[in-house]
Amino acid sequence: MLPIINRDSEGTGSAAHSGVPEWDLSDLYPGRDSAELAADLSQVDTQSKYFEASYQGKVGALSAAHFGAAIVEYEALCETLYRILSYAQLLHAGHVTDPETGRFVQDINEKATEVQTRTLFFVLEINRMDDDALAARLAEDPVVARYAPWIRDVRLSKNHQLSDELEKLSSEKGITGAGAWVRLFDETMASLRFPTDGKDLTITEATHLLGETDPQRRKSAAKSIGQVLGDNIRLFGLITNTLAKDKEIDDRWRGYKSPMAARNLANQVEEPVVDALVSAVQDSFPRLSHRYYAMKAKWFGVDVLDYWDRNAPVPGDSSRTWSWKEAADFVLAAYGRFSPELAAVGQRFFDNAWIDVPARPGKASGAFAHPTVPSVHPYLLLNFMGRGRDVMTLAHELGHGCHQILAGRQGCFMSDTPLTLAETASVFGEMLTFRAMLDAETDARRRRFLLIAKVEDMLNTVVRQIAFHEFERRVHSERRSIGEVSTDRIGEIWMQTQAESLGPAFRFDAEYQHYWAYIPHFVHTPFYVYAYAFGDCLVNSLYRVYEQGMPGFQDKYLNMLSAGGTLRHRELLEPFGLDASDPGFWAKGLSVIEGFIDDLQAMD
């Protein structure tokens, strides 16, 4: 399943609004003490024991028909288990600081780990099967053939597989190892309060103020964030070092040669493709972020911007405030203008209680889409404040949700996409919404402000995320080569990568060295962040094909989303005449951002 991942929450909204929807998790289970949940927990426990007794040590000798039946049985077991885990994760996201919810989630994770450990043998034995024998089973039985993409993905890790005993040990210790440190990060971050203008704010509320018009409010919030993170930096440093070492141990035992090799393999993207993306974005820093922020400093009438001005509204920008209904209607209309079928899928999220919109004390910050399982439906978490960026966040997460529904047709095992492709529908949804905003605006001044907002969003998605990637790469590399990395050194790496990416138009005060500590991606899913840049550049190229009027584009696009994880990026992009392995591919995507900046420069 896709992990619960928050987008970079800096500059997004957070304050609670009355009259906006909250999700209803009863489509998963009526409650954590419900008979339905208890029955499913009992069922997966019993099924896993039966599955183990029936198939352990026998997978390689199964006939094609029995092998197909075993896969179907395993998928059904996993779907029930993932449903249980999804409920626990979503419940926790709404109540991160509640001790009872925390205990409930830990209990569920422990029970799930027992089931997963008990059935782990199945994929291990599939990976030990001879290629010819497996090919014969694929040819002999249509059920096995249907699961060919899942088998292909399972066998990606066969060269990095440990002994059965070590794999079981690793599985069992996950909840007391890396999982426990992730939980500590989440609960600590959710409980922190940032004193600002006489109020104690959550991290989401404090980062929201970095997009305020009033420079003093931005400065006050920025200083408080840096101060509070600094006061807790030893804990965040310990979490970071522990998780990096835990990853290094796992990578070493499994034979992964670089810190991000496992992520690239899971993303089904070749390392040279990722390297080409990173190099292309880094080479573009002077043409994109450095040039844009120099222009922004000029608009502010200064030579150098303070770091808290990065997402500040430019002078004269009186951006409208959106109600929730206005935002929902606008995003759906933008989707509908592209494809009524896609809009109809998106409408389901608003017709049902599938979105949690307002901020609440203890609620997870940022935004995410959780696919749950194909037999239910995805859920979206937002922190909507009514700004243009919040509308774009809704468009982004709704794209994920639509993708997850369409891909659900592939079933539990083949609906998930690699992280790189998982960002395609979300970023495409943002582009549809931005273009609709731009087309609807006739005032030249307002169009300029919309273009500025879009450029800043794209820089946050591409430049900022590649800077995050480089920060992560350097921290993990030093952890491997020299041992535990001091918090001072982590702060130095953060300041270096931020200065490199944002350019000389910024002044970074000392407390900014602690800002790495609140980014959840580094903790939840190491080396996730380049997927944002991958998705943005891919969508820029994809959208150009759409604008050029390719016949049948919408049908091809929906087919791409419906493919789920059955196809890889080469196969998915081929109908559009695109190839991510082409050295010029990333330059095409980046040229879209550069063109927008050119337009802004021409307006000055």
Side-chain angles (χ1 to χ4, degrees):
M1 295 194 306
L2 286 175
I4 293 181
I5 291 291
N6 294 340
R7 299 183 74 201
D8 180 12
S9 60
E10 190 167 317
T12 62
S14 69
H17 278 54
S18 60
V20 294
E22 299 181 16
W23 58 28
D24 179 0
L25 300 182
S26 63
D27 287 350
L28 290 166
Y29 293 102
R32 60 191 183 196
D33 297 322
S34 65
E36 292 87 342
L37 176 58
D40 276 357
L41 283 167
S42 176
Q43 176 186 329
V44 294
D45 182 65
T46 301
Q47 284 183 328
S48 64
K49 291 174 181 175
Y50 177 82
F51 189 82
E52 180 183 34
S54 300
Y55 297 111
Q56 187 171 25
K58 306 171 186 176
V59 176
L62 292 174
S63 68
H66 283 103
F67 183 47
I71 296 174
V72 171
E73 187 177 341
Y74 182 55
E75 183 178 38
L77 189 159
C78 287
E79 174 139 359
T80 303
L81 182 64
Y82 295 165
R83 181 177 185 146
I84 294 168
L85 286 168
S86 294
Y87 175 72
Q89 290 166 359
L90 291 171
L91 190 68
H92 187 246
H95 308 278
V96 177
T97 57
D98 177 50
E100 288 302 316
T101 301
R103 280 192 284 272
F104 167 75
V105 172
Q106 181 67 13
D107 181 56
I108 291 294
N109 285 337
E110 289 177 5
K111 290 176 180 177
T113 298
E114 291 177 9
V115 172
Q116 290 169 328
T117 302
R118 196 177 292 137
T119 57
L120 182 61
F121 74 88
F122 191 59
V123 295
L124 300 180
E125 291 187 31
I126 289 176
N127 280 346
R128 286 200 292 268
M129 290 176 69
D130 178 80
D131 288 344
D132 292 337
L134 185 57
R137 285 164 176 77
L138 288 165
E140 292 168 11
D141 187 79
V143 175
V144 179
R146 178 182 175 273
Y147 285 94
W150 176 73
I151 295 170
R152 172 202 67 197
D153 294 346
V154 165
R155 286 171 69 84
L156 283 173
S157 61
K158 68 177 183 176
N159 294 330
H160 304 281
Q161 187 169 293
L162 306 176
S163 68
D164 288 9
E165 291 77 12
L166 286 176
E167 290 287 359
K168 287 184 177 181
L169 178 64
S170 176
S171 176
E172 286 196 47
K173 287 185 68 65
I175 54 174
T176 58
W181 290 97
V182 172
R183 177 184 174 188
L184 175 62
F185 170 86
D186 287 343
E187 294 187 1
T188 300
M189 190 58 65
S191 67
L192 291 181
R193 294 296 178 264
F194 301 83
T196 308
D197 298 334
K199 297 180 179 179
D200 288 338
L201 306 180
T202 64
I203 184 63
T204 308
E205 292 168 331
T207 55
H208 163 67
L209 293 181
L210 299 180
E212 281 287 319
T213 302
D214 184 351
Q216 284 305 120
R217 296 195 76 192
R218 295 197 301 268
K219 179 178 180 179
S220 178
K223 293 288 185 179
S224 181
I225 293 168
Q227 176 67 46
V228 174
L229 292 177
D231 290 343
N232 293 272
I233 205 65
R234 288 184 62 190
L235 174 59
F236 292 124
L238 177 60
I239 292 171
T240 298
N241 272 284
T242 302
L243 289 173
K245 183 61 178 178
D246 182 82
K247 187 179 190 310
E248 184 273 326
I249 293 170
D250 194 66
D251 286 349
R252 175 161 38 86
W253 276 82
R254 296 183 183 279
Y256 290 113
K257 294 182 179 179
S258 71
M260 57 179 196
R263 177 64 56 211
N264 292 345
L265 186 64
N267 283 345
Q268 299 171 23
V269 61
E270 302 81 2
E271 192 158 330
V273 173
V274 178
D275 291 343
L277 164 66
V278 173
S279 295
V281 175
Q282 290 175 332
D283 290 345
S284 75
F285 286 168
R287 304 191 310 275
L288 301 183
S289 50
H290 295 190
R291 180 161 65 113
Y292 172 77
Y293 289 120
M295 291 164 56
K296 186 168 187 176
K298 180 182 174 183
W299 298 334
F300 274 74
V302 297
D303 294 326
V304 179
L305 293 165
D306 289 303
Y307 72 85
W308 52 80
D309 293 330
R310 182 174 59 83
N311 280 334
V314 300
D317 184 359
S318 55
S319 297
R320 62 172 289 188
T321 298
W322 296 72
S323 71
W324 169 249
K325 185 178 186 307
E326 289 172 334
D329 289 347
F330 193 89
V331 170
L332 280 173
Y335 275 49
R337 187 168 67 168
F338 169 73
S339 165
E341 182 180 347
L342 185 65
V345 176
Q347 182 69 53
R348 297 172 63 187
F349 287 85
F350 302 92
D351 292 342
N352 300 281
W354 296 358
I355 313 179
D356 199 272
V357 178
R360 298 181 299 273
K363 177 181 174 181
S365 63
F368 64 72
H370 192 303
T372 73
V373 289
S375 58
V376 187
H377 56 75
Y379 283 94
L380 311 183
L381 179 142
L382 305 173
N383 281 284
F384 184 82
M385 191 65 175
R387 287 189 173 154
R389 282 194 175 98
D390 298 322
V391 181
M392 290 299 174
T393 297
L394 170 60
H396 181 103
E397 301 306 340
L398 187 65
H400 277 309
C402 291
H403 191 179
Q404 290 158 3
I405 286 178
L406 291 170
R409 301 166 185 172
Q410 301 295 340
C412 183
F413 278 172
M414 293 180 290
S415 58
D416 285 350
T417 60
L419 296 180
T420 43
L421 296 172
E423 292 301 330
T424 303
S426 55
V427 179
F428 198 87
E430 287 189 69
M431 183 63 82
L432 291 173
T433 303
F434 165 69
R435 291 292 185 179
M437 283 185 176
L438 202 63
D439 291 346
E441 185 55 68
T442 58
D443 181 80
R445 184 168 171 271
R446 288 289 310 126
R447 285 175 64 86
R448 174 176 175 268
F449 291 138
L450 286 173
L451 195 57
I452 287 171
K454 182 56 177 174
V455 167
E456 294 200 356
D457 281 343
M458 295 175 93
L459 293 178
N460 282 339
T461 303
V462 177
V463 169
R464 184 165 169 79
Q465 299 303 327
I466 291 302
F468 284 177
H469 170 83
E470 180 62 15
F471 165 79
E472 208 169 4
R473 187 192 66 78
R474 293 184 193 180
V475 169
H476 279 261
S477 294
E478 291 200 10
R479 184 68 176 93
R480 290 182 176 214
S481 62
I482 65 173
E484 184 164 304
V485 187
S486 70
T487 54
D488 286 345
R489 177 56 185 154
I490 297 175
E492 287 177 7
I493 296 172
W494 173 257
M495 297 290 260
Q496 289 167 1
T497 53
Q498 291 293 293
E500 290 165 4
S501 63
L502 298 176
F506 279 99
R507 174 172 42 243
F508 300 103
D509 291 353
E511 72 278 352
Y512 190 67
Q513 68 183 301
H514 305 310
Y515 267 60
W516 59 269
Y518 88 92
I519 307 297
H521 306 69
F522 302 150
V523 173
H524 290 166
T525 314
F527 296 100
Y528 179 104
V529 288
Y530 76 74
Y532 285 118
F534 192 109
D536 195 276
C537 291
L538 187 155
V539 165
N540 289 341
S541 297
L542 197 62
Y543 199 87
R544 278 199 164 175
V545 174
Y546 167 57
E547 285 186 312
Q548 291 165 0
M550 171 180 273
F553 181 92
Q554 284 87 337
D555 288 339
K556 292 177 181 178
Y557 178 76
L558 293 178
N559 287 338
M560 178 179 71
L561 301 189
S562 299
T566 61
L567 301 176
R568 296 187 174 177
H569 65 84
R570 289 177 184 271
E571 300 163 303
L572 290 170
L573 295 177
E574 186 177 2
F576 305 97
L578 299 173
D579 182 1
S581 65
D582 181 345
F585 178 82
W586 303 115
K588 290 178 184 178
L590 293 169
S591 70
V592 174
I593 310 175
E594 188 171 6
F596 286 158
I597 297 174
D598 289 342
D599 291 344
L600 286 173
Q601 195 164 34
M603 294 177 186
D604 280 356

